[in-house]
Amino acid sequence: MTETRSASITEVVKNYGSQLLRFINSKVAKTEDAEDILQEVWFQTSRLTNLNELENVGAWLYSVTRNKIIDSYRKKKTESLEDFVYQDEDGELNVKDILLADDSNNPEIGMFKDLFWDELMKALDELPEKQKRVYVQNELEDKTLQEIADAEGENIKTIISRKSYAVKHLRKKMQRLYNDLKN
């Protein structure tokens, strides 16, 4: 059984090694970091006792790789992210500049933006439809609350209330990401 398992791991490394390394390199700035992440992926793979039972090894590997990239990203505060983060006059951490920053030459910023938008979309999908619509129209489509109230045929106080509930929910759901960036 050990020989079969070893052969399987060897085969997996041979089949997916270069693909995973390219994937990781597209997400991190340094080749050394990419190689470290890939090594962590292979270590986790080697610890599996049921490699042959995985239905889709490739999908599993990419999922583990993505998680390792995110873990790596969370572990270290990068100077490039810190350049964009500041506390406003209320002491709140402002990440808007990161989300608007050009990430074409900075994979860390790109990775953070991807992670942020993934988490935001998941949290938005959990909202009741009316709250989600008010939040999206106000925050992402730049409509005023009055414009939304007029279009929906609703009282402005109702729209304000929906937006408030949406913001409270999103703050709660995004708190972990906020804490990771702050620490």
Side-chain angles (χ1 to χ4, degrees), residues 56-174:
N56 187 337
V57 174
W60 183 85
L61 281 170
Y62 275 93
S63 178
V64 168
T65 302
R66 182 177 177 270
N67 290 338
K68 293 293 182 189
I69 293 168
I70 291 169
D71 289 347
S72 168
Y73 176 74
R74 287 180 178 158
K75 282 179 191 173
K76 57 181 170 172
K77 278 173 129 178
T78 60
E79 292 175 18
S80 54
L81 278 179
E82 290 172 357
D83 292 342
F84 292 99
V85 178
Y86 60 91
Q87 290 187 346
D88 62 16
E89 58 274 356
D90 298 326
E92 294 292 317
L93 189 65
N94 189 330
V95 296
K96 187 175 184 177
D97 289 342
I98 295 174
L99 299 175
L100 298 175
D102 175 21
D103 61 358
S104 58
N105 293 322
N106 194 322
E108 284 88 5
I109 291 176
M111 188 67 183
F112 176 81
K113 287 167 74 172
D114 291 346
L115 179 62
F116 174 85
W117 287 111
D118 285 349
E119 294 294 321
L120 179 64
M121 291 303 132
K122 284 180 201 171
L124 281 172
D125 286 341
E126 295 172 356
L127 288 171
E129 187 57 39
K130 290 180 180 181
Q131 289 177 16
K132 178 181 176 179
R133 189 169 48 243
V134 167
Y135 183 85
V136 168
Q137 288 177 355
N138 183 242
E139 293 295 328
L140 303 178
E141 297 173 5
D142 288 327
K143 291 185 179 179
T144 67
L145 294 175
Q146 186 62 57
E147 290 172 333
I148 297 167
D150 293 344
E152 299 270 330
E154 297 276 0
N155 184 310
I156 185 70
K157 290 182 180 181
T158 302
I159 298 302
I160 291 169
S161 178
R162 288 178 186 162
K163 168 85 184 284
S164 175
Y165 284 120
V167 167
K168 286 177 186 174
H169 174 77
L170 294 173
R171 278 188 183 147
K172 182 179 174 186
K173 290 296 184 173
M174 302 295 286

Side-chain angles (χ1 to χ4, degrees), residues 48-63:
L48 273 181
T49 57
N50 59 350
L51 184 63
N52 294 329
E53 294 176 20
L54 288 177
E55 196 169 306
N56 187 337
V57 174
W60 183 85
L61 281 170
Y62 275 93
S63 178

Side-chain angles (χ1 to χ4, degrees), residues 18-48:
S18 60
Q19 293 174 41
L20 290 176
L21 188 57
R22 280 193 303 275
F23 174 71
I24 299 166
N25 270 320
S26 72
K27 304 289 184 197
V28 298
K30 297 179 182 175
T31 304
E32 297 82 19
D33 292 341
E35 291 168 352
D36 290 345
I37 291 169
L38 184 59
Q39 185 174 357
E40 289 177 28
V41 170
W42 293 139
F43 179 73
Q44 185 169 339
T45 304
S46 72
R47 295 177 51 99
L48 273 181

